Amino acid sequence: MYSRFEKKPFGLEHCWAVLRGDEKWKSRAKELKDKQTASKKKKEKKKEVSPAAPNVAPADQDADTSSGAKPQPVGNKKAKEQEAYKRKLDQALEHEWEFLKESKKRTKYLEELVMERKKETKEKKNEAKEDQRRNDYNIMSMDLSKLDPLRRQYFEHEMKKILARSLKEQVEEDDNEEVNDDEDEDEEQEQEQQLVQLD
C-alpha cells in the first residue's frame, strides 16, 4: 500500500511487523477503508445525479464522518500529560485545602488570644479599681477628730475628691452597662457570622 502511494518501497518493515497488531493501526486501517469506500460512493452518486437537479446533495455526503469509526485511542504521551495535569491539579487543590485549614486554625488562635488579652485587661482594671476602693474606704473611714487641723484639711479635701470621683464613676458605669450590653450582642452576632463563613 505504501509503495502504491509514495512510489518507493517502505523502509521500516521491521517496525511495521511489531506494530501491525496495535489497536491504533487497526482503527487507522479501518478509517482509510471507510474513506475509500465513501469517496467511491460519492463519485458514483455524482455520476448518477442529473444535470437538471444541481442543488440536490447526495445522501451519503458525510459518510466519512458518520461511518461509525472508533475514535483513535489516546497515545502514551498524551495520557502521561493528562495524568501529570491531574496530579498537579490534585496537589494544588490539596495545598489550597491545607492552607484554608491552617488559616482557619490561625484565625481561631488569634481570636482566642484577643479574647484572653481582653479578659486580662479587664481583670487588671478591676484589680486597680478594687485597690482604689480600698484606699478610698480607708480614707473615708478615718476619724478626723484626732488629727491636727492641717491633716484634717488634707483628708477632708481627699474625701471630697473621692465623693466626686465615686459619683462620676457610678454615672459612667450605668452608661457603659447599656453600651456594653449592645456591644456584647453585636460581638456575638459577628462571631457567629464569622464562624458560619469559615465553615
Side-chain angles (χ1 to χ4, degrees):
M1 183 175 4
Y2 180 83
S3 57
R4 219 181 324 149
F5 291 113
E6 298 295 327
K7 308 291 186 216
K8 61 181 179 179
F10 185 61
L12 301 171
E13 284 291 331
H14 60 284
C15 294
W16 177 245
V18 173
L19 297 173
R20 177 179 291 180
D22 195 29
E23 184 64 34
K24 180 177 179 178
W25 300 111
K26 287 180 183 178
S27 61
R28 178 74 176 141
K30 186 176 179 190
E31 286 176 17
L32 288 173
K33 284 181 185 177
D34 290 343
K35 282 183 182 179
Q36 286 175 353
T37 55
S39 64
K40 285 181 183 177
K41 286 181 182 178
K42 281 183 187 178
K43 286 179 184 176
E44 290 174 6
K45 290 284 183 178
K46 283 183 183 178
K47 289 179 183 177
E48 291 177 6
V49 175
S50 65
N55 293 337
V56 178
D60 288 331
Q61 188 172 5
D62 295 325
D64 58 336
T65 57
S66 63
S67 64
K70 291 182 181 178
Q72 185 174 350
V74 177
N76 285 341
K77 186 175 181 182
K78 192 168 188 177
K80 286 179 183 177
E81 288 174 357
Q82 288 175 350
E83 199 171 308
Y85 176 76
K86 284 180 186 177
R87 263 186 275 134
K88 285 181 182 178
L89 185 63
D90 289 343
Q91 287 175 350
L93 289 173
E94 189 174 325
H95 178 69
E96 186 70 24
W97 179 249
E98 290 296 324
F99 176 77
L100 287 173
K101 286 194 325 191
E102 190 64 32
S103 63
K104 207 175 193 180
K105 286 179 185 177
R106 287 181 186 161
T107 304
K108 189 175 180 180
Y109 171 74
L110 289 174
E111 286 174 355
E112 289 173 356
L113 190 64
V114 166
M115 294 298 283
E116 191 176 310
R117 294 278 165 87
K118 282 183 179 179
K119 188 178 178 181
E120 288 175 2
T121 305
K122 193 173 183 180
E123 286 175 359
K124 286 180 181 177
K125 283 182 181 179
N126 288 340
E127 286 176 10
K129 280 184 182 180
E130 193 60 38
D131 289 342
Q132 184 71 41
R133 283 186 185 141
R134 270 191 241 118
N135 290 337
D136 292 348
Y137 178 78
N138 289 339
I139 291 173
M140 293 298 284
S141 62
M142 285 183 76
D143 183 16
L144 300 179
S145 61
K146 297 178 182 176
L147 297 176
D148 61 88
L150 187 61
R151 288 186 184 168
R152 184 182 304 156
Q153 187 180 3
Y154 171 77
F155 282 110
E156 284 176 353
H157 180 69
E158 287 296 313
M159 287 178 179
K160 287 178 185 176
K161 278 194 209 175
I162 291 169
L163 289 173
R165 188 180 343 111
S166 177
L167 289 173
K168 186 178 176 183
E169 285 177 0
Q170 191 172 5
V171 170
E172 287 177 357
E173 282 180 10
D174 291 343
D175 291 342
N176 284 342
E177 283 180 9
E178 292 176 10
V179 171
N180 285 341
D181 289 342
D182 293 339
E183 286 179 355
D184 289 343
E185 289 177 11
D186 292 342
E187 277 185 30
E188 288 175 6
Q189 288 175 353
E190 282 181 26
Q191 288 177 352
E192 287 176 6
Q193 289 174 351
Q194 289 174 351
L195 290 175
V196 168
Q197 288 175 353
L198 290 175
D199 291 338

